[in-house]
Amino acid sequence: MSEALIKHFAKKLIAWHGVDGRQGLPWQSVRDPYAVWVSEIMLQQTQVATVLERYPRFMKRFPTIKKLAAAPLDDVLAEWAGLGYYTRARNLHACAKQVVEAFGGKFPSDTILLEQLKGIGRSTAGAIAAFAFHERAPILDANVKRILARLFGIEGTIQEKAVNDQLWLLAKKLLPNNAADMPVYTQALMDFGATWCTSRKPVCLTGIKRCPFAKDCQANLSDQVLVLPRKVIKAKSPEFDCDMLLLRHGDTVLLQKRPEKAIWGGLWSLPESEWRAKEKNLAGHAQRSEAYLTSKDLFKLVLPNEKTFTALKSCKPIERGLEIKHIFTHRRLWMQIWHVSTSDAVKLSGGDLQWVSLRQLGKYGLPQPIKLLLQALSLVRGDDLRS
DNA sequence: AAGGCGGGGAG
DNA sequence: CTCCCAGCCTT
């Protein structure tokens, strides 16, 4: 039973793709390894609908790997803003430099070499090798893990190394014999997982369409489709408070470049306090930042991390602006926005603080909630941030 | 092996 | 709300 499935899987899947696969995605018809690579990185943990909007923009902005490698990192981050997981953008830039310097701007076709490049792991290396070079290299993304766990009735969680090893072994065994089939086969795998063998509403349970593997699928035969692959119970995401300073001077706003390792790493954001564990009771209020007008019209904002913004003359009275709730995958953040304007721009000595013209904001990569905040306050139009 | 890292869509 | 996603990297 299992052996027959392994033998005919690729052929059946490709046949399925011919009828019910996704067609017309802009990166599907592409053979240029650079274009394939960009699409694979952008699609990591990011939905197709989002990438459909952003991929053409990125390719227009950075049409070749040499132009990407030669661009300032800040420009790449600005183009990536809103997509999340900004390490991808830094790695993309670093990888472009690697390929230009070590391989003359041409991606290697060998997965061993591909995996040594920044931001390219085993699965992405397989996808690039398959799509761009017709290599018989497997992928193992969330789609494939789910398909295989169900087809072969694999118990145990995906995190376990033994399970992961087993899945990679299966992925390799299922590859089509003909290397020329690798692009369509790899695409078919992704399409099948994304549209038919889905996590929550697989077609085998809806009864409308007939899964070509219904009679082979261990999960289907044992009524385990919805529980495979086994989920890991996740802890509730912790909650934080922080204060942010929206300081305006004329048509400029004060931005601060974020450290690379933090969340929104490398993006430009508002100066902020350190994050504090959110206190549900009022006792936590004592921890809040203090913002007040000092004598002689000097503005002073004292943040809990002891960073102090002072010596700003002629500030308008301090508004304690809106509080923004932002939800990450693993965190919840309440941002208290302190909206202040001054007629006297403070002289900036540090490199990470910068006055930025509102019209120039589009050149800066902003965290999505900050971008939305500035739009909501009509400080900037959507078009200005589209660049 | 576990945790960090965004954002948006689906249910 | 919760869960999920064309993962990778660091610890």
Side-chain angles (χ1 to χ4, degrees):
Chain A
M1 165 70 86
S2 192
E3 289 304 318
L5 173 59
I6 289 172
K7 186 177 178 187
H8 298 294
F9 178 77
K11 198 178 295 286
K12 289 179 75 171
L13 185 70
I14 292 171
W16 170 87
H17 180 265
V19 179
D20 290 309
R22 292 180 292 193
Q23 310 290 338
L25 298 176
W27 48 89
Q28 283 180 340
S29 56
V30 159
R31 302 185 177 284
D32 174 17
Y34 171 67
V36 169
W37 165 65
V38 171
S39 76
E40 289 306 321
I41 303 298
M42 196 174 282
L43 283 158
Q44 286 171 3
Q45 303 291 290
T46 305
Q47 295 189 331
V48 166
T50 304
V51 174
L52 276 176
E53 293 181 13
R54 302 296 299 266
Y55 178 75
R57 244 178 73 187
F58 190 97
M59 294 304 290
K60 188 176 177 186
R61 178 77 185 274
F62 304 109
T64 67
I65 194 168
K66 289 187 179 175
K67 289 189 176 175
L68 178 60
L73 173 58
D74 243 18
D75 290 4
V76 181
L77 281 164
E79 185 58 42
W80 202 266
L83 281 169
Y85 286 144
Y86 300 97
T87 298
R88 290 185 296 173
R90 284 194 298 279
N91 284 338
L92 202 70
H93 188 240
C95 180
K97 285 174 177 280
Q98 281 183 293
V99 171
V100 167
E101 288 165 15
F103 300 104
K106 305 287 186 190
F107 274 92
S109 61
D110 184 348
T111 57
I112 302 294
L113 294 176
L114 284 169
E115 277 185 65
Q116 292 171 21
L117 298 170
K118 293 280 189 185
I120 299 180
R122 191 170 172 186
S123 188
T124 299
I128 296 170
F131 283 132
F133 301 110
H134 299 197
E135 293 280 324
R136 292 184 67 257
I139 61 168
L140 191 63
D141 61 18
N143 286 317
V144 182
K145 287 175 181 174
R146 185 173 56 255
I147 294 167
L148 298 187
R150 286 172 174 172
L151 270 183
F152 296 93
I154 294 174
E155 301 283 345
T157 64
I158 301 296
Q159 283 77 358
E160 296 169 53
K161 177 168 163 45
V163 173
N164 204 254
D165 290 347
Q166 186 185 2
L167 290 171
W168 272 110
L169 207 59
L170 274 172
K172 195 172 162 75
K173 287 176 72 174
L174 291 170
L175 293 177
N177 291 321
N178 186 353
D181 288 334
M182 282 308 299
V184 65
Y185 169 79
T186 304
Q187 188 63 53
L189 263 183
M190 294 170 166
D191 288 357
F192 186 68
T195 62
W196 279 45
C197 194
T198 64
S199 181
R200 304 230 213 169
K201 231 168 65 174
V203 301
C204 57
L205 297 183
T206 65
I208 299 172
K209 296 165 180 170
R210 205 182 116 56
C211 175
F213 305 108
K215 288 181 178 163
D216 304 308
C217 177
Q218 293 302 315
N220 183 50
L221 295 174
S222 60
D223 197 22
Q224 296 269 289
V225 173
L226 283 185
V227 298
L228 293 183
R230 296 279 178 202
K231 277 72 176 176
V232 178
I233 294 136
K234 290 165 193 162
K236 194 179 174 217
S237 42
E239 304 181 336
F240 297 91
D241 283 308
C242 83
D243 297 280
M244 290 191 167
L245 178 64
L246 174 49
L247 182 58
R248 298 171 59 190
H249 172 247
D251 78 332
T252 65
V253 59
L254 187 63
L255 295 187
Q256 186 166 33
K257 190 169 175 63
R258 301 182 58 81
E260 284 200 350
K261 303 229 167 174
I263 206 161
W264 296 319
L267 296 193
W268 289 85
S269 186
L270 304 180
E272 71 179 36
S273 70
E274 299 204 334
W275 296 13
R276 309 175 292 278
K278 186 174 181 63
E279 293 284 349
K280 301 261 161 76
N281 54 21
L282 290 177
H285 199 72
Q287 283 190 352
R288 297 202 74 86
S289 310
E290 298 175 39
Y292 49 87
L293 292 172
T294 62
S295 60
K296 293 190 178 180
D297 230 7
L298 294 186
F299 169 74
K300 189 168 185 178
L301 177 62
V302 182
L303 302 171
N305 59 358
E306 298 180 358
K307 195 167 281 185
T308 307
F309 296 93
T310 55
L312 303 171
K313 294 177 185 173
S314 306
C315 288
K316 286 183 184 171
I318 294 167
E319 300 176 35
R320 198 169 147 172
L322 54 163
E323 188 174 51
I324 301 173
K325 180 184 182 184
H326 187 70
I327 299 176
F328 301 99
T329 304
H330 302 296
R331 275 150 180 51
R332 291 153 198 276
L333 177 65
W334 277 259
M335 293 170 279
Q336 183 69 53
I337 309 297
W338 301 84
H339 190 178
V340 181
S341 66
T342 175
S343 61
D344 194 23
V346 63
K347 175 84 172 165
L348 300 172
S349 53
D352 62 338
L353 282 168
Q354 198 168 311
W355 290 104
V356 175
S357 160
L358 294 176
R359 286 176 291 100
Q360 297 292 312
L361 278 175
K363 293 184 163 47
Y364 291 74
L366 303 175
Q368 193 68 355
I370 303 303
K371 171 182 162 182
L372 295 176
L373 167 71
L374 297 180
Q375 287 177 355
L377 293 175
S378 300
L379 296 189
V380 63
R381 292 173 306 144
D383 291 349
D384 292 333
L385 285 177
R386 281 262 156 209
S387 174

